[in-house]
Amino acid sequence: MIIQMLVGSLLVLFVPGLIWTYALFENREIDLIERIALALGLSMAMVPLSLFYLHDLAGMRIDLANSVYVVLLLTAVALCIIMFRRYRTVSLRKN
């Protein structure tokens, strides 16, 4: 039970923000301590606000499944941004 809580907290309170820090900042732009602090702050801001806005605007219930979907969606959007930037960088280097 404790391991599940730790893994769940890590996935909700750290991973989306960490992925977004890589999407927003280049690798050498900020150091590890700043990236960790921003990851915690971004995750704590984005996940609850996204859930509350979806509840108010779309009438979506806040439950476990919808929370997981929101976390996955936030992470997937940031990963798409990262992949687009890397693809664009690689294609520019080839030309």
Side-chain angles (χ1 to χ4, degrees):
M1 181 81 168
I2 292 175
I3 295 174
Q4 289 175 342
M5 289 188 328
L6 290 174
V7 170
S9 297
L10 180 71
L11 289 175
V12 171
L13 296 176
F14 186 69
V15 173
L18 182 67
I19 302 297
W20 272 101
T21 60
Y22 281 107
L24 296 173
F25 301 104
E26 299 293 326
N27 287 340
R28 305 288 180 198
E29 203 169 324
I30 59 175
D31 62 352
L32 182 64
I33 300 298
E34 290 173 333
R35 192 170 300 276
I36 291 172
L38 281 171
L40 288 170
L42 281 172
S43 289
M44 283 190 239
M46 285 191 317
V47 172
L49 285 175
S50 300
L51 284 169
F52 291 139
Y53 283 134
L54 285 174
H55 175 70
D56 284 343
L57 297 177
M60 187 179 81
R61 292 183 318 151
I62 299 175
D63 57 0
L64 178 64
N66 291 336
S67 300
V68 170
Y69 294 146
V70 165
V71 170
L72 289 176
L73 180 69
L74 288 172
T75 307
V77 168
L79 285 173
C80 289
I81 292 171
I82 292 169
M83 288 177 12
F84 175 74
R85 282 187 178 176
R86 290 200 180 169
Y87 174 76
R88 188 180 62 183
T89 304
V90 170
S91 66
L92 289 176
R93 287 183 186 168
K94 287 182 181 179
N95 292 332

